Each structure stands twice: as C-alpha cells, then as structure tokens.
Amino acid sequence: MTANNPLLDIQTPALVLDERKMMRNIARLSERMQKLGVSLRPHMKTAKSVDVARRQLEGGNGPATASTLREAEVLFAAGVKDILYAVGIAPMKLARVLALRAAGCDLKIILDSTEQAEAAVAAARGAQIKIPALIEIDSDGHRGGVAPNDDALLAIGRKLHAEGMLAGVVTHAGESYNAAGRAAHIEFAERERNAVVTAASRLRAAGLPCPVVSVGSSPTAHAAQNLDGVTEVRAGVYVFFDLVMAGIGVCDVDDIAISVLTSVIGHQRERGWILIDAGWMAMSRDRGTANQAVDQGYGLVCDIDGKSIPDLIVASANQEHGIVALRAGSSGKLPELPVGTRLRILPNHACATAAQFDRYHVVPQAQGAAMIQWSRFSGW
Amino acid sequence: MTANNPLLDIQTPALVLDERKMMRNIARLSERMQKLGVSLRPHMKTAKSVDVARRQLEGGNGPATASTLREAEVLFAAGVKDILYAVGIAPMKLARVLALRAAGCDLKIILDSTEQAEAAVAAARGAQIKIPALIEIDSDGHRGGVAPNDDALLAIGRKLHAEGMLAGVVTHAGESYNAAGRAAHIEFAERERNAVVTAASRLRAAGLPCPVVSVGSSPTAHAAQNLDGVTEVRAGVYVFFDLVMAGIGVCDVDDIAISVLTSVIGHQRERGWILIDAGWMAMSRDRGTANQAVDQGYGLVCDIDGKSIPDLIVASANQEHGIVALRAGSSGKLPELPVGTRLRILPNHACATAAQFDRYHVVPQAQGAAMIQWSRFSGW
C-alpha cells in the first residue's frame, strides 16, 4: 500500500479517519445495546461531524447527545430531531434552547438545582414552550448531579412536573475512565444503573413521572451486564476509541480509528530524537495516559499504513514540534526515519485531538476507493 | 461596570481580549527592542489574528514569524510580506513556500540538515525561485538545530550559499520557559546570543554570508542585556501573556490580556466545588503551571471585571465542565457564586487556550466604546 498511498498527498499535520475501524466500533456497541434491550443515544462531542453522526445514529437521524448547543444546532439543521443537551443548563442559554424547540427540535436539557429548574420554568412560561428536563444524578462523585437520595431530587422534580417538564433522570460515570479492567467497569455500570433507578423510583413513589432513565460512558456501556430499569445508554469516544480507552482495556490499540498524519522534519541523533511536524497543536495537550500503566506520551507512533512501531512514542511536544523517541526503559533501537518520512500518531484522547482539526481525511471502507474529506465543526 | 457590562450579553464560554493590556504588552517589548537596537519580528502563533498582527507588527505590516504555512498565507493575503516560517521545513511543504514566494511574499524557511538543504535547493532549481533559508542553531538542547560548533553547520551553509539561498542563523531558547526568575532568563538570553553569534562567525570565517542573526523567546526577549551581533528578536506569547509567564516572573498576573468568560452552572457544596461551563475544550488541556511554584490548575478565577478571586482556581476539568475550588492549602472561604454568575478565567498558556476559539471578544481600549469581535484562524 505504501508506494501509491494517497496519504502521501496530504499536507501534514492532518487528521486521518479509518472508516472501517470506525464502522466496526459503531457496530460493536450498537449490537451490544440491542442485546441488552436499551436504546443507544450516541454522544456527538467526540466526532462533531454530520457525516460521522449519519453512521452512528439509528437510521441516520436517531437519538443523539450533545455537549454544546452548537452541536445541537448543527445536527438539527442536518435533520436530527431528538437531542439531549447533556451539560447542566446555564440560564443565559435558555433562549437558544427555546429557539431550537420552536423550530421543531425535540431538545431536552439537564439540571441539578432548583435555581436552574426555576429559570427553565420561567423561560418556558415566557415563551409558552415547554422544555423537557432530565434531573442529573451523581453516581460517582465525578462532577455535577444530586445524590439519588437527596431531598433536592423531589423538590426539583415537583417544580418541573408542575409545568409538565419533568422528562426523567440522567447520570454519567466519568470516574470509570480512571479505572482499568472489565470488573471495575462492570461495577461502575452497576453504580450508574443503581443511582438512576433509585432516583426514578423515588420520583415515581412521590407521584412524579420518570419516563427517561439515562446512563452512560464508553467504559460502562461496553461492560454493563444488567440494565434493568434503564431506558437508554449514552457513549461518545467509542466511535473512534483512543489510547486512554485501550489503556483501561475497553478496546485494543488496533481499534483506534483516528490518527494524526505527520512528517519527519529533523533528528537529534545523540539524544535519540526524531522531530516531527505534529506538536501539541495537532495532538492536543491531553496527557490522559500519563497516569496509566503505560504512559504513551503525546501518542503512539505508527508507520504510514497505521502499523505501530515498537516502543516509539511522541515523548514530548512543543506547539508545532513533536519529539519522537523510544519509551523510557525500552531495549529497542530507534528506527532510521529520514526527513520527509510520513508517520501516523495514535492519540491519547480522541475528543481532544480531533478538536484540533477542521476536517477528517477519510480512508474509506471500500478497498481502492478514493479518499474523501468530512468536515468537523467546533465552538459553542 | 458590572451592571451594564456588555460581557453579560455574550454566550459562554467565550474568549475575551482586553485591548488595553495587550497594547501595554506590545509597547513594553517594542520599546525594549528599540533601546537594544534590534528589530522585533513578532510571532503570529499566539494570536493567529490579522487584527492583532496589525497592532503588533511595525507599521502594521512589518516583519513577522509564523509557526505554520497557514499563518504565512493568511498574513500575506492581509499585506504582510516579510515572514519567517520558523519550523524546520518538511520537503512536501516546499511547493507552498514556492507559491508564496512566486506571489511576492518574502518568505524565509529554516532547516538544520543537509537533507533539508538539498530538498530546498532542488525545489528552488525546479521552480527557478530562490528560497532564503536560515540555519537553525541549538542553543539549549530544547528541540531542533545544529550545535554552533558542529561541522554540519558549514556543510549546510555551503550547500545553501552555492544557490544564493543562505540567509542567516536562528535559535529559540525554549528551555527558558522552564526556568524562573530574571537572572535565569538573562543567562538563557546570553546562551541564545552566544550560540548564534558563534555560528555566524564560523560561517563568515568560512567565507559564507550570514546577514540575519535571529534569537528569541518571550522570557529571553524581556531579559536580554546585550544583543551584540544579533539582528532580530522573535517573541510570541508576550502579546497576551499568561499564567506560565507570570509564574516564571516575565509578567504580572495583571498583564494577562486574555481570559475565558464562563457561567456558573452548578454546585457540589459538600465538596467545595462550583461547576462552570468552561471545561478543557475552552481552557485547553494545557497544565503548564503544574510544575511551577504555584499550580494554577486549569486557570485562575476572576470576577466579570477581571479581578482575581483569592485562591480560586479551576481545579479540574472535563470536556465542557470546569470544577472551580479553592487551591489546596488555602485558608480562604469559597465565595457564594449563584448559578448564572459570570466569571473570567486566566489561562495557563495563551497559545493553547486561544486556539480553542474562533474569535476574540474585544474589550476596547477606549472607555465606553462598544465591544467588537476579531476573528482567529487555525489549521496548517
């Protein structure tokens, strides 16, 4: 493949997407959710691409999760209607939420305080447009959410229900990213389930509705054994995977669907360094594997065909320079990679690295098909 | 100012630029360079904005440094002609270099190997367009460059000179960012000067020309005592400054000209957390102060007027969530900041944080003037 590799024509650094691996990742989680009998609501925060969304979302336009209103606006314009904006609502953003709902988008928000519920209710009354809201539940002490047994749960629930706006409960086991191994992820999945099912039961016992019971993170979505009482699962990074996910055992390195294409621009042979034109502006500053069993630096180095080179990592990074070296303790030999050699770097964190680029250079599934570009959007 | 603050109308998170502080930073370095009798060639990698460049560059269009060919292309289109592309050239990029030169841009490249010099010479011959090149000198073991006393210097110099393409020498004391205090920066500045002046002398002694002798980093540019033999100084982050620069004593926290505007979206009172809508997607993953005397987390928290709140930092970050807390060991009290409160976060690293946004919301110098937007560009 190397000789006439179309990647040789692309200006570096550039973001490359292996469609075959992506489709395999999508199929894997989709089949798993079907077997468990729950709906999948993929998170758009990782790919931020209408082209990727078409392939992730059920029927091309099915339920989606967004991390920004920009994501919701772009996806709604592309035909996606059922969107959960899964970051606690800031009152100033309610005007944009109302605009989307008025246009026909079934946008739902999340919140975890009576202040937010009051702001949402006031905005909804003012516009005469209901805003379905899910109450965020804290299942692992990671960031937002009320504890499932907190009295605030019922207070918020009543405020929302009085306006016909209580849509359910939602949680995210963000701490599962910091735990390695299937057993740990099974436990986090059960904590997610237990937290939202407990909260849903309390709401229902108080005479309040709770149609949606939403859980999710990529590690727990791939590990959950029992989703009784859960109606939907959210996951984001699974579509591409990355070294962090490989490091905690959710995927193999070979499943990682994106890489940064780069060129060798120099050598410091006495120091064992190869310099490349992918620095932190291309890789992002994410060092998510720094505290894992295997620290991958700013990324794992592969040849132009995507085959990893033993023990070779981006050991450090300046804005537009990456310093490639053997990992500490390696007994390997630094390969001879002349100036101009193209390499591909697997990222620590797909969401962060992809965000540094405005497009994907897609290696299509179909053997021999020409490369295409898919655009990415960004901002809020 | 708070009551009718125009920042209250901006959707969060957003990047705010205080023009008055920026102009003060620009004037400070510009005056310093005038006193030292050298030319300043500001680096466009930090702001990536034509509007900022107009204010940084001498006469609005003076000499500039670029970290990507995209920067050179955008700035040339805006009227900037004298541009140094200061990342070791990858042979595949020579076609774009030639295109810029053919269009009238006085673009210069840098390189540190005979392979690169041969590629540049071959491309120049093919197009019948000379490409002025500076030889990169390693002054501190930070990344690329030949040692000033390396035989390779003369070999590269001869190859370039045979084609009339030898333009000079260039170095960058990247390690100065890791050293705190004026004395250390003075020493790094002298190492920069000594390295390039040594290299220039060797080239000249061998009968080769060396018109340009270029040094620079923001810490050394503000510390250099003697620039004898140096013709120009480059600096980038000085235009905005940041917490890393404040942490090593190059500026005060009050000099930092950019901040991320954010909204409070929740609380975890038992844990002492305030949640905001500026996560790492807004702040970047840069943790440049992590190893400094004062670790600023993902940024220092200020009120909407830009006044810092004692000991309050963004202690951790998810993609779209920042967790604000008192710094470890603080005896302070967490302020009461209701949902919806607007805050401004000073960044660790201006280049990395600014790169997460597509525009600046500018607070103009002129008292009472309306806010404006300046666009940013990105990519390679």
Side-chain angles (χ1 to χ4, degrees), chain A residues 62-81:
Chain A
T65 310
S67 73
T68 63
L69 287 177
R70 171 72 61 88
E71 288 166 45
E73 288 159 354
V74 173
L75 289 160
F76 177 62
V80 178
K81 285 199 172 139

Side-chain angles (χ1 to χ4, degrees), chain A residues 10-11 45 92-93 96 116 138 142-143 145 265 268 271 277 285-286 318-320 380, chain B residues 10-12 45 92-93 96 116 138 142-143 145 265 268 271 277 285-286 318-320 380:
Chain A
I10 297 171
Q11 289 282 309
K45 80 184 182 107
M92 73 166 340
K93 290 177 184 158
R96 283 167 75 191
Q116 287 167 300
D138 179 10
H142 181 68
R143 58 185 188 211
I265 58 169
Q268 291 287 13
R271 297 186 201 119
D277 68 357
R285 272 287 195 192
D286 198 294
N318 295 180
Q319 185 160 338
E320 298 295 347
W380 290 267
Chain B
I10 297 172
Q11 289 281 309
T12 57
K45 79 185 184 105
M92 72 166 339
K93 290 176 183 158
R96 284 167 73 191
Q116 287 167 302
D138 180 11
H142 182 67
R143 58 186 187 211
I265 58 168
Q268 291 287 13
R271 295 186 201 121
D277 67 357
R285 272 288 194 193
D286 198 293
N318 295 179
Q319 185 160 341
E320 298 294 347
W380 291 268

Side-chain angles (χ1 to χ4, degrees), chain B residues 99-115:
Chain B
L100 278 163
R101 288 201 63 86
C105 179
D106 182 16
L107 183 69
K108 290 159 276 279
I109 63 170
I110 77 168
L111 48 80
D112 69 354
S113 65
T114 49
E115 297 92 308

Side-chain angles (χ1 to χ4, degrees), chain B residues 137-140 147-149 169 171 190-200:
Chain B
I137 307 299
D138 180 11
S139 57
D140 64 352
N149 288 308
V169 289
T171 196
E190 182 55 22
R191 279 167 72 172
E192 276 188 334
R193 191 190 73 84
N194 190 52
V196 281
V197 167
T198 300

Side-chain angles (χ1 to χ4, degrees), chain A residues 54-142:
Chain A
R54 291 265 180 265
R55 287 156 178 83
Q56 281 184 282
L57 302 182
E58 200 185 315
N61 282 323
T65 310
S67 73
T68 63
L69 287 177
R70 171 72 61 88
E71 288 166 45
E73 288 159 354
V74 173
L75 289 160
F76 177 62
V80 178
K81 285 199 172 139
D82 177 359
I83 304 176
L84 174 66
Y85 170 46
V87 174
I89 193 75
M92 73 166 340
K93 290 177 184 158
L94 287 162
R96 283 167 75 191
V97 170
L98 286 166
L100 278 162
R101 289 202 61 86
C105 179
D106 182 15
L107 182 69
K108 290 159 277 277
I109 63 170
I110 78 168
L111 48 80
D112 69 353
S113 66
T114 50
E115 297 93 308
Q116 287 167 300
E118 280 162 7
V121 163
R125 280 186 189 163
Q128 305 251 328
I129 295 174
K130 290 190 195 309
I131 305 171
L134 278 68
I135 304 174
E136 187 178 5
I137 307 299
D138 179 10
S139 57
D140 65 353
H142 181 68

Side-chain angles (χ1 to χ4, degrees), chain B residues 42-354:
Chain B
H43 208 313
M44 304 290 99
K45 79 185 184 105
T46 303
K48 300 209 186 204
S49 154
V50 171
D51 296 286
V52 175
R54 291 266 180 266
R55 287 157 178 83
Q56 280 184 282
L57 302 182
E58 199 184 316
N61 282 323
T65 310
S67 72
T68 63
L69 287 177
R70 172 72 62 87
E71 287 165 44
E73 288 159 352
V74 172
L75 289 160
F76 177 63
V80 179
K81 287 203 172 136
D82 177 358
I83 305 176
L84 174 67
Y85 169 46
V87 174
I89 193 74
M92 72 166 339
K93 290 176 183 158
L94 288 162
R96 284 167 73 191
V97 171
L98 287 166
L100 278 163
R101 288 201 63 86
C105 179
D106 182 16
L107 183 69
K108 290 159 276 279
I109 63 170
I110 77 168
L111 48 80
D112 69 354
S113 65
T114 49
E115 297 92 308
Q116 287 167 302
E118 281 162 8
V121 163
R125 280 186 191 167
Q128 306 251 326
I129 296 174
K130 290 191 196 308
I131 305 171
L134 278 69
I135 304 175
E136 187 177 5
I137 307 299
D138 180 11
S139 57
D140 64 352
H142 182 67
R143 58 186 187 211
V146 294
N149 288 308
D150 193 321
D151 288 343
L153 173 71
L154 299 182
I156 299 167
R158 287 194 186 100
K159 256 189 216 305
L160 292 172
H161 181 55
E163 296 294 316
M165 283 170 39
L166 178 56
V169 289
V170 57
T171 196
H172 164 64
E175 284 299 314
S176 67
Y177 290 74
N178 300 322
R182 192 165 176 78
H185 299 151
I186 289 173
E187 198 180 307
F188 270 105
E190 182 55 22
R191 279 167 72 172
E192 276 188 334
R193 191 190 73 84
N194 190 52
V196 281
V197 167
T198 300
S201 303
R202 288 187 65 221
L203 288 169
R204 290 172 188 142
L208 301 169
C210 189
V212 178
V213 181
S214 180
V215 299
S217 75
S218 284
T220 56
H222 289 84
Q225 301 296 302
N226 165 18
L227 289 173
D228 290 352
V230 167
T231 64
E232 67 175 31
V233 171
R234 306 176 326 279
V237 75
Y238 80 97
V239 66
F240 295 154
F241 280 130
D242 54 27
L243 293 170
V244 165
M245 287 295 115
I248 58 172
V250 181
C251 68
D252 293 328
V253 166
D254 185 56
D255 293 325
I256 301 173
I258 60 166
S259 57
V260 173
L261 183 71
T262 181
S263 299
V264 171
I265 58 168
H267 301 85
Q268 291 287 13
R269 291 193 169 80
E270 287 172 23
R271 295 186 201 121
W273 292 355
I274 298 165
L275 276 78
I276 58 174
D277 67 357
W280 59 252
M281 188 63 85
M283 299 308 304
S284 91
R285 272 288 194 193
D286 198 293
R287 288 281 290 104
T289 57
N291 296 317
Q292 292 194 335
V294 178
D295 182 349
Q296 306 282 17
Y298 283 89
L300 191 60
V301 180
C302 301
D303 65 19
I304 192 170
D305 295 324
K307 190 164 170 286
S308 70
I309 302 175
D311 279 348
L312 205 62
I313 62 170
V314 182
S316 69
N318 295 179
Q319 185 160 341
E320 298 294 347
H321 298 78
I323 296 179
V324 167
L326 291 170
R327 79 173 75 249
S330 169
S331 56
K333 191 171 167 290
L334 197 70
E336 187 55 42
L337 299 172
V339 165
T341 303
R342 263 22 146 255
L343 299 168
R344 284 163 73 179
I345 316 296
L346 300 178
N348 281 318
H349 188 171
C351 309
T353 301

